[in-house]
Amino acid sequence: MSIENELKFLILKEKSLEDILRQLELYNFKMEPSSKKSNFQVDEYFDTRNFDIEKYGGSLRIRKKGEESYITYKKPISSNDKYKSRNEYEIEISPNTTIQQAIKLIEGKFNISIENDVNPILTVENNRHYANIIAPDSSKIEIAIDDLKCTDGTTHKKFDMKNELECEVLSGNPENLKILAAIISEELEGEMPNQISKYSRARKEISEQQSNMSLKEITACYVISSILKSTEFKQLKYKGQIFHNYLKKTETNLDNLENPEYLIKQISKVKREKNYNPGKPKNLEELFLCFFSDIEYPTMENYVSNFLNENYYNNEDLLTNRMSHSQQVSLATGLACKSKNIIISDDERLVTIFSALFHDIGHVPFAHRMEKTLQSIDGNFSHEINGKNVVQRIRSDNAEDISNEIMRKMEGLDESTVKQEVDMAYNSIISAIEEHSRTNFEYRGQGINVQLPREFDKVAYAISDIVDATKEDKNIDIISKKWQEDTISELSVGYEERDNEISGKVQKFTDMIQKKKYGELFTSIVNTIRTNKRPGIDYYEIDTDMWDIINKSIKRVRTLRETNVINNESEKMERFSVMMALLKITENSEPNKSVRNAWQKTLQEITKMNDLDMLEYAKQVLKQVGEKKIEDVFHIDRKQIQSLNDTNKEIKLSGDVELSELVNELDISNATMERIKIVDKYYKNNMPNSTLCIRTIIGTDKKILIVKTSHDKPGMSYISRSKQVVEGTIEDSTDELIFEYNLKYREALKELGEEFLVKKNRLIIQGKTPNGELCIVQDDSLAENKSSEVELPKGIEIKMLQGDIEEVKIKIKELLRKKLGEKYKKAYVKKSTHKIAEEMLNSSQERDLG
């Protein structure tokens, strides 16, 4: 028999034995020469049906180490807050000895009594790395890192365990363990004291990891953890919504969740515990876990409201960066998931809350100013599309490993089933990010994980923008009396009978802002979330009046910034944005290579940078540049870069919309009007999401090949497509035009057959507006193929030739609201002419066949 004096820590962050030894050496604990070793051992633990051995703090095991086998029985003597003392009884046995035989042998040797009606409970596999250290008083202590996995004795399923750091006194004074405990606790980040034996901990780990987590939830945990670890997500804490020299980062308090097993264990534990009550949540992780508990909505509302006030709104520092914003959206989404108005499954809840947290992962430094710069280079760029690409890259790096981990964890699963679940989890998050900006209520993207984050994004943005603006200048009346009156007046147009109701909502919004009850305002807005049903789709939205009030508040703060009442250093941001984009493309360009490859690499690099990195980088470049023009320094082919921007953004309308009203509302000046006749012949082709047509303009000798590739995001109030054009003459064949196209755009386009004709009588109005140069097109069209002919609906198409389509969209929305009231949302058309013609011709053929 010997007395075992040991100290144990759980390793929360990856550390090697060498890391531990180096740190201890600073405190004069020297490694004994040649004592560093590794071995593999398997411990099989036994206990009674009632777990009597574990109940009294002991353990009974058979250890197999190479060819050797030992039976060990441990019985506690005492423990304190620093280390534990136990009697350890151990003898070597032959490999074929049964547990009952081994118990008799050890009882006989040490004259002790052990429960003998025992069964195998679990097995722990241990890759042990250890060395001896000599303390300043010459005591000898073994330091070991155990890399552990356990197997349930009943189900034979394998489970991961946290690695363990163990210190055991081999000779000398056990009080050295107190010194080691202090050193490890203070100096070695990511360690947690552990008084539980491997046996008890393995039992606990198995209990917490199995049974109440579905395959979907477990898969989601692995996928979520892979995104939490990404550079792009971590950089959000240094990316601003507005530009200021903030130095205080937002702590995520979610580092533990980067370990999927920890996330699984914690959620499983919370779900299993009835009447879960952690008290006031101290950090973000604790609050997130409450969303999976049985805590009632009013309590959760109180938790979230207080947490928002204490962690995001009451600090005097400017804290609105992408990370804090994303956390706010995620908290509101989690709260909505507890609402009785929302029906959601556990696995949906998990993905939805974290989709909200990840919704801005595609944002670049310098806020929306850099985004506009990148859009000017490639009109298809948006932080939503970029976010989708980020998560797709994370998937390509991690999906296979995740599938393998899940199959190891949950034995007996079909490989294709697991891979499908992994893909579905990633796709859920990707769709939530990509479809986040969609505004047309009929096309907001399918699924609660898409729609809830979208709703609360705007709420979080509006409240934080008001809070930060107030902190920047305490003398500014953000929500002025005039703003209130104008908002009530504008929102009441067409709804005069609801004037008092709208007025009351504006007043409530104003009162809470003025009293700085920001958290309460946020959660009161979350309370208005509802599930609405339309034919073929459920969608989720907050109160419509509140949505409009929020939009008006955002516009108010934006105006204050644009007029420099609140300084947002937009000129500096714009200059830095242009400079950094050009510099990065130049660095990534290769002679005679496609500039689009350089562009893709540029986007990846810029996304991984943060505001502070880029600001420092920009200052260094400016120092080198001096007074020279940026273009003179970078030697970039501007024509190549300009060719990246081949995107058309079009607003399509139908219904009771008059051209004259549009022209007046959009304030078009110097307008020209032209009528032409067009014949578009559409062809099948080999390019995904693309349409190919040969256009002939009647009365001219022009023949134009047009390829449009959809970058559409269903639900946005406009269509976004790349448009690539090759002009020829009436003499040119289709093959010749395709040859020219492939030469010009370095593509491999093929014509695959004729589809149909669309004949158009086109009216074109073109002119300048305060928002840029604009073109309005109205077509009377007829589509025909070999067997059918249909008249297409008369529609209006608005294109921005130069300028920002977003402001135009807002003006059109206001016009339609005044004219059509509630019907205005249906005036938007989301389908291209090609798609409408194709559907109507097919429908006509089906009727004929009928």
Side-chain angles (χ1 to χ4, degrees):
M1 182 197 74
S2 63
I3 295 177
E4 178 187 58
N5 294 300
E6 63 180 11
L7 165 72
K8 292 184 178 183
F9 280 82
L10 299 185
I11 300 177
L12 303 182
K13 292 188 178 178
E14 190 173 330
K15 283 193 176 67
S16 66
L17 180 63
E18 287 72 19
D19 295 332
I20 308 289
L21 294 173
R22 271 196 299 272
Q23 194 66 46
L24 294 179
E25 193 171 3
L26 298 175
Y27 292 86
N28 294 317
F29 285 83
K30 309 288 186 185
M31 187 181 81
E32 184 180 52
S34 305
S35 67
K36 190 161 61 172
K37 295 177 184 174
S38 296
N39 65 37
F40 177 76
Q41 59 196 38
V42 178
D43 293 338
E44 187 173 17
Y45 287 90
F46 299 83
D47 211 333
T48 66
R49 287 183 181 179
N50 296 322
F51 301 100
D52 295 308
I53 296 175
E54 182 195 9
K55 199 179 294 180
Y56 296 105
S59 67
L60 175 66
R61 74 175 184 223
I62 289 180
R63 171 171 290 173
K64 293 183 178 177
K65 189 162 53 173
E67 299 296 319
E68 301 170 351
S69 294
Y70 301 85
I71 181 170
T72 307
Y73 175 62
K74 295 184 181 182
K75 189 175 180 181
I77 302 172
S78 64
S79 66
N80 56 45
D81 60 343
K82 298 299 180 186
Y83 66 92
K84 180 184 285 187
S85 294
R86 295 190 293 185
N87 282 328
E88 182 179 295
Y89 306 91
E90 183 174 272
I91 59 170
E92 187 171 358
I93 58 176
S94 65
N96 298 323
T97 307
T98 66
I99 183 62
Q100 278 73 26
Q101 291 168 338
I103 288 172
K104 285 183 180 178
L105 290 172
I106 202 169
E107 284 179 329
K109 172 153 187 170
F110 294 107
N111 194 25
I112 56 175
S113 177
I114 303 173
E115 294 277 356
N116 57 28
D117 185 16
V118 295
N119 295 294
I121 304 298
L122 57 87
T123 303
V124 175
E125 296 176 7
N126 183 0
N127 275 311
R128 168 167 276 214
H129 308 280
Y130 60 99
N132 297 334
I133 58 170
I134 307 300
D137 67 354
S138 300
S139 296
K140 185 187 291 189
I141 302 164
E142 182 184 82
I143 303 288
I145 287 186
D146 293 333
D147 181 357
L148 306 166
K149 291 189 183 302
C150 60
T151 303
D152 186 283
T154 305
T155 64
H156 305 295
K157 288 185 177 179
K158 289 185 179 295
F159 297 87
D160 286 331
M161 294 175 63
K162 288 190 186 67
N163 287 357
E164 190 169 274
L165 169 64
E166 186 177 298
C167 309
E168 182 180 350
V169 176
L170 302 180
S171 64
N173 186 0
E175 291 297 302
N176 278 294
L177 293 179
K178 291 184 178 179
I179 300 170
L180 286 178
I183 294 170
I184 292 168
S185 297
E186 287 295 319
E187 301 294 339
L188 296 174
E189 180 190 357
E191 314 294 344
M192 186 170 74
N194 173 43
Q195 292 275 10
I196 304 175
S197 69
K198 283 187 185 67
Y199 170 51
S200 296
R201 191 156 67 82
R203 286 241 306 124
K204 188 167 179 283
E205 296 271 355
I206 290 171
S207 171
E208 288 175 350
Q209 289 182 49
Q210 65 183 353
S211 74
N212 68 349
M213 293 286 279
S214 68
L215 174 58
K216 283 183 182 297
E217 290 173 283
I218 288 170
T219 303
C221 287
Y222 274 93
V223 167
I224 286 162
S225 296
S226 73
I227 301 172
L228 284 170
K229 290 179 199 171
S230 68
T231 302
E232 291 89 343
F233 177 73
K234 290 179 182 298
Q235 290 286 37
L236 291 178
K237 66 181 74 169
Y238 292 116
K239 292 179 182 178
Q241 272 184 226
I242 54 176
F243 187 68
H244 45 64
N245 292 329
Y246 61 86
L247 296 174
K248 184 177 175 63
K249 69 180 180 180
T250 301
E251 296 295 342
T252 63
N253 293 314
L254 297 173
D255 290 350
N256 290 337
L257 306 190
E258 291 176 17
N259 177 353
E261 290 298 328
Y262 177 85
L263 179 56
I264 291 166
K265 184 181 81 172
Q266 294 301 99
I267 293 176
S268 177
K269 181 180 176 183
V270 168
K271 285 172 62 178
R272 189 165 44 247
E273 189 173 332
K274 297 297 180 187
N275 302 314
Y276 178 75
N277 184 9
K280 181 180 175 182
K282 296 184 286 296
N283 56 47
L284 197 60
E285 179 192 309
E286 286 188 10
L287 189 51
F288 272 3
L289 290 172
C290 289
F291 293 136
F292 303 96
S293 72
D294 57 359
I295 294 174
E296 292 292 331
Y297 186 90
T299 303
M300 281 306 309
E301 182 181 7
N302 187 49
Y303 282 168
V304 171
S305 174
N306 289 337
F307 198 87
L308 287 167
N309 282 329
E310 291 172 13
N311 293 279
Y312 303 109
Y313 298 141
N314 279 348
N315 197 302
E316 287 303 306
D317 296 331
L318 294 169
L319 275 176
T320 304
N321 55 42
R322 292 289 163 205
M323 182 66 81
S324 67
H325 166 74
S326 298
Q327 290 173 8
Q328 292 165 48
V329 177
S330 196
L331 289 175
T333 300
L335 180 59
C337 288
K338 299 286 286 183
S339 168
K340 288 183 175 145
N341 298 317
I342 302 294
I343 307 301
I344 188 167
S345 63
D346 284 350
D347 53 282
E348 275 186 311
R349 184 193 311 261
L350 183 59
V351 170
T352 300
I353 291 170
F354 281 93
S355 293
L357 186 67
F358 300 142
H359 80 272
D360 267 351
I361 197 170
H363 252 294
V364 289
F366 296 165
H368 289 288
R369 189 65 62 173
M370 173 65 88
E371 184 163 8
K372 286 183 178 177
T373 295
L374 298 175
Q375 280 175 342
S376 71
I377 295 171
D378 180 354
N380 183 41
F381 179 84
S382 71
H383 71 268
E384 293 91 2
I385 292 173
N386 195 42
K388 172 196 77 172
N389 293 335
V390 167
V391 178
Q392 283 179 333
R393 287 195 296 272
I394 293 169
R395 171 166 60 184
S396 67
D397 291 341
N398 293 279
E400 188 173 347
D401 289 341
I402 287 174
S403 296
N404 291 337
E405 280 294 318
I406 292 171
M407 283 188 289
R408 276 196 292 271
K409 181 182 180 66
M410 304 176 76
E411 292 177 354
L413 288 174
D414 177 67
E415 183 177 358
S416 62
T417 301
V418 174
K419 287 185 174 179
Q420 185 179 15
E421 289 294 344
V422 172
D423 271 344
M424 285 171 62
Y426 273 117
N427 285 338
S428 292
I429 293 171
I430 286 168
S431 64
I433 294 169
E434 183 187 10
E435 299 172 13
H436 191 76
S437 66
R438 301 181 182 185
T439 53
N440 187 333
F441 83 108
E442 291 184 8
Y443 298 98
R444 283 181 182 165
Q446 295 293 323
I448 200 166
N449 65 302
V450 173
Q451 293 182 12
L452 288 189
R454 174 198 169 275
E455 292 293 296
F456 300 124
D457 178 32
K458 198 154 237 180
V459 183
Y461 181 89
I463 295 174
S464 294
D465 219 20
I466 291 169
V467 172
D468 269 353
T470 305
K471 288 176 182 177
E472 287 183 81
D473 191 334
K474 291 182 172 57
N475 298 318
I476 293 175
D477 189 4
I478 303 293
I479 306 298
S480 65
K481 192 71 178 170
K482 185 176 185 312
W483 175 85
Q484 294 175 57
E485 291 168 355
D486 290 347
T487 299
I488 293 168
S489 174
E490 288 177 38
L491 298 188
S492 297
V493 172
Y495 307 100
E496 284 75 13
E497 73 283 359
R498 294 181 57 242
D499 186 73
N500 288 337
E501 184 185 350
I502 292 169
S503 178
K505 290 177 180 179
V506 172
Q507 190 60 53
K508 180 182 177 182
F509 183 87
T510 304
D511 288 347
M512 285 191 155
I513 291 290
Q514 290 174 340
K515 292 174 183 176
K516 297 186 177 180
K517 292 186 174 181
Y518 305 119
E520 292 82 352
L521 174 60
F522 202 162
T523 56
S524 71
I525 295 171
V526 176
N527 282 338
T528 71
I529 195 76
R530 293 291 182 274
T531 306
N532 289 317
K533 293 185 180 291
R534 296 270 163 173
I537 184 172
D538 289 353
Y539 67 97
Y540 308 86
E541 65 176 7
I542 60 171
D543 178 77
T544 305
D545 294 330
M546 190 54 69
W547 182 263
D548 290 332
I549 293 167
I550 287 164
N551 278 327
K552 295 295 179 187
S553 72
I554 290 172
K555 194 171 182 181
R556 163 72 172 155
V557 178
R558 186 190 300 155
T559 301
L560 291 172
R561 294 194 186 285
E562 288 174 350
T563 54
N564 285 322
V565 175
I566 304 169
N567 181 24
N568 63 348
E569 301 189 79
S570 58
E571 288 182 12
K572 184 193 288 186
M573 289 172 69
E574 188 162 4
R575 187 179 182 202
F576 284 173
S577 297
V578 173
M579 180 176 70
M580 300 315 297
L582 293 177
L583 177 60
K584 282 290 176 189
I585 297 173
T586 307
E587 287 176 351
N588 292 319
S589 293
E590 296 180 46
N592 304 318
K593 291 281 182 76
S594 168
V595 73
R596 192 163 288 277
N597 293 335
W599 171 243
Q600 293 302 324
K601 191 173 179 184
T602 294
L603 290 183
Q604 290 182 39
E605 289 178 5
I606 287 178
T607 307
K608 287 185 176 180
M609 296 179 78
N610 61 53
D611 289 10
L612 302 180
D613 291 339
M614 198 164 269
L615 193 60
E616 190 57 40
Y617 193 17
K619 285 177 182 175
Q620 291 173 13
V621 174
L622 283 173
K623 206 171 183 181
Q624 295 168 4
V625 171
E627 295 302 313
K628 294 179 184 177
K629 289 182 179 178
I630 292 169
E631 289 85 346
D632 294 339
V633 176
F634 298 144
H635 306 296
I636 189 115
D637 183 348
R638 296 301 289 270
K639 285 184 180 177
Q640 265 194 308
I641 291 178
Q642 286 164 359
S643 74
L644 286 169
N645 193 357
D646 53 16
T647 300
N648 272 3
K649 291 182 178 178
E650 307 155 358
I651 298 172
K652 287 178 173 279
L653 305 173
S654 68
D656 304 324
V657 185
E658 296 294 334
L659 272 177
S660 57
E661 291 174 322
L662 270 177
V663 170
N664 290 335
E665 183 70 22
L666 297 174
D667 194 14
I668 297 176
S669 59
N670 302 321
T672 61
M673 187 179 294
E674 181 183 10
R675 292 185 185 274
I676 59 174
K677 291 188 176 182
I678 294 169
V679 177
D680 286 340
K681 184 183 287 188
Y682 286 93
Y683 294 85
K684 293 177 183 175
N685 69 86
N686 62 316
M687 296 179 70
N689 303 319
S690 296
T691 58
L692 162 64
C693 80
I694 305 290
R695 172 167 293 174
T696 306
I697 302 175
I698 306 301
T700 73
D701 68 345
K702 281 186 179 180
K703 199 173 189 182
I704 307 168
L705 182 146
I706 303 170
V707 176
K708 291 184 179 179
T709 303
S710 174
H711 304 308
D712 238 4
K713 299 192 281 184
M716 289 184 67
S717 301
Y718 56 79
I719 291 178
S720 175
R721 295 180 291 181
S722 293
K723 182 179 178 182
Q724 296 173 324
V725 175
V726 172
E727 293 191 5
T729 69
I730 204 78
E731 305 296 327
D732 294 323
S733 68
T734 303
D735 287 342
E736 287 171 324
L737 289 172
I738 288 175
F739 178 81
E740 290 296 325
Y741 176 90
N742 289 335
L743 199 63
K744 181 176 179 179
Y745 293 105
R746 300 179 186 177
E747 298 286 0
L749 175 63
K750 295 177 186 175
E751 170 203 344
L752 299 178
E754 185 179 328
E755 290 188 292
F756 51 80
L757 289 176
V758 176
K759 299 175 182 177
K760 301 175 180 176
N761 285 318
R762 173 165 285 186
L763 171 64
I764 304 170
I765 300 172
Q766 190 169 322
K768 294 188 180 298
T769 75
N771 303 105
E773 193 171 352
L774 178 143
C775 175
I776 300 177
V777 173
Q778 186 175 55
D779 284 332
D780 290 322
S781 304
L782 191 73
E784 62 180 52
N785 58 20
K786 292 176 183 176
S787 57
S788 299
E789 180 179 285
V790 293
E791 188 175 335
L792 303 184
K794 183 181 288 188
I796 294 173
E797 193 175 276
I798 300 105
K799 300 181 183 180
M800 290 304 298
L801 304 177
Q802 189 176 22
D804 187 0
I805 200 169
E806 292 295 330
E807 291 298 323
V808 172
K809 186 182 75 175
I810 291 168
K811 286 187 177 182
I812 291 173
K813 180 179 176 180
E814 288 173 355
L815 168 66
L816 296 177
R817 177 190 280 278
K818 291 173 192 173
K819 181 174 174 55
L820 302 176
E822 267 301 304
K823 294 180 184 176
Y824 84 93
K825 295 172 182 175
K826 293 188 176 181
Y828 291 112
V829 178
K830 197 64 189 92
K831 294 175 182 173
S832 65
T833 303
H834 173 270
K835 191 70 178 172
I836 294 170
E838 184 179 49
E839 288 178 359
M840 290 185 70
L841 286 168
N842 288 340
S843 177
S844 174
Q845 284 178 322
E846 286 171 10
R847 282 197 303 273
D848 291 344
L849 286 170

